[in-house]
Amino acid sequence: MKLTAEISMYPFKENYIEPIQWFIDRVDSYKSVERKTNAMATQICGEYSEVMAMLAVEMQAAHEKWGKAVFVVKFIGGELDLTHTQ
């Protein structure tokens, strides 16, 4: 089963761009997960178990490296077209 998720990271740092970019770069290392980022959030799509496992690993890694950060995630079962614009 496919899963689409939208995730936003809010690091408790003045220089918040660096940890966000670091997280996005880490997500990009998962070739089986499609990623699209805009000014507000990052959308990811892939196999349900792979997306959930990736989020668990990378959110933990982000907390270990950068300290406190809030992650806000929305999930929808199924595959959405991440290239869709209106």
Side-chain angles (χ1 to χ4, degrees), residues 5-27 36-44 54-55 57-74:
E6 179 178 86
I7 185 166
S8 298
M9 179 184 184
Y10 300 97
F12 288 17
K13 300 239 176 254
E14 258 186 66
N15 179 17
Y16 59 89
I17 297 293
E18 184 179 1
I20 293 170
Q21 187 60 56
W22 176 89
F23 184 80
I24 292 168
D25 292 344
R26 300 267 301 204
V27 169
K36 178 98 172 159
T37 298
N38 60 42
M40 296 285 293
T42 295
Q43 292 84 33
I44 53 179
M54 181 272 301
L55 288 174
V57 167
E58 298 308 333
M59 288 170 56
Q60 180 177 347
H63 286 128
E64 289 172 351
K65 179 170 179 69
W66 301 102
K68 292 181 181 176
V70 172
F71 287 92
V72 177
V73 187
K74 296 185 283 187

